[in-house]
Amino acid sequence: MTIQEIQAYLTEFFDSVELVGSGKGEISAPAKIESAGAGEVSFIANEKYLRFLDETKASLVIVHRSVNVADFAEGRSFLKVADPYTAFVFVLKKFSLPRTIAAPGIAPTAVIGEGAVMGEGVTVGQYAVVGDRCRIGAGSIIGPHAVIMHDVEIGEGCTIFPHVVCYDGTRIGRRVVIHAGSVIGADGFGFAPQADGSYVKIPQMGIVEIGDDAEIGANATIDRATMGSTVIGKGVKVDNLVQVAHNCRIGEHTVIAAQAGISGSVIMGRQCMIGGQAGFAGHLELADRTSVAAQAGVSKSFLEPGTALRGYPAQPMRDQLRHEAMLRHLGSMKDRLDELEQRLLKQPHGG
């Protein structure tokens, strides 16, 4: 693409895309700002990378519209936008090649169950299994060795990577991506304790529902409900190795980072942000736009929208930081108390 073509392309997403520099030349690939060379495009979205404005060899750099680039425009061009990070994401999309997951059509080694309905242009890879009465939407791709059990519904334009397993009854919306090794709809962890110390398994009779435009990372596990549905809302992004237990409801456009563990019946609001390795006790609720820091342990509900939580047990960030500061001074406080105690012991008694 030429620089002018990239500028025109970005005007589809931004009200203003200002070109600084000659605007001449072609761009062959995107690259990181510190390693970009001639003919490549990069971006700066963080102030600490502004030092590369003078050093970079990139032919085109996307920056925030507030950045003064006049002194660096000789020999390169700049596009100034309101959100350079998102602009670069759109550029990456333009340059990215389609990923080949399976050859188009139904592979000869694939197994298609009785009564399965396949939409136009569906791809099913080698040794994949699609169970009885499944419905696969138009243009969806089922990767090699994936297993779609009976009565599963998958919407249009979905991508199911190799070795994914969708248990019976799972319902998946449109344009959903599920990465390799994930298991959707396994039994929830439900066992009734008995007087003799043994456990009786509780039948897990519900399903999993995943909304449109959700993405599930590799080796994630989302358990079916005991009754009803475990719900992953529209636009939710789940990272690798995340566990979502039975009967949880994850609100639209929430993001959950790797190794987070969410116990049963947690209700999470819209647009929440969950850090890596965060843990959640069961049957609690988070309001919309709650942020949970990495490795936090959430043990109770937080119903105020927009709360930022941190620590174990998780608390509003301002409270947790204050308590953390107090902990850092416990040693000196103890020394002071010991000193005061010794002074009191040395004072004469009596009256």
Side-chain angles (χ1 to χ4, degrees), residues 41-62:
V41 55
S42 192
F43 78 108
I44 295 176
N46 189 312
E47 287 186 358
K48 70 179 183 179
Y49 289 96
L50 289 174
R51 68 183 189 274
F52 290 107
L53 281 174
D54 189 40
E55 302 172 16
T56 185
K57 300 296 190 294
S59 296
L60 176 63
V61 182
I62 302 171

Side-chain angles (χ1 to χ4, degrees), residues 268-298:
M268 199 173 290
R270 295 164 50 95
Q271 299 176 332
C272 294
M273 300 180 68
I274 310 303
Q277 296 186 334
F280 294 78
H283 301 274
L284 57 81
E285 184 173 351
L286 296 184
D288 294 348
R289 305 187 310 283
T290 300
S291 298
V292 179
Q295 295 190 326
V298 183

Side-chain angles (χ1 to χ4, degrees), residues 240-242 256-261 274-280 292-297 312:
N240 305 334
L241 297 166
V242 168
I256 306 174
Q259 298 183 355
I274 310 303
Q277 296 186 334
F280 294 78
V292 179
Q295 295 190 326
Y312 184 87

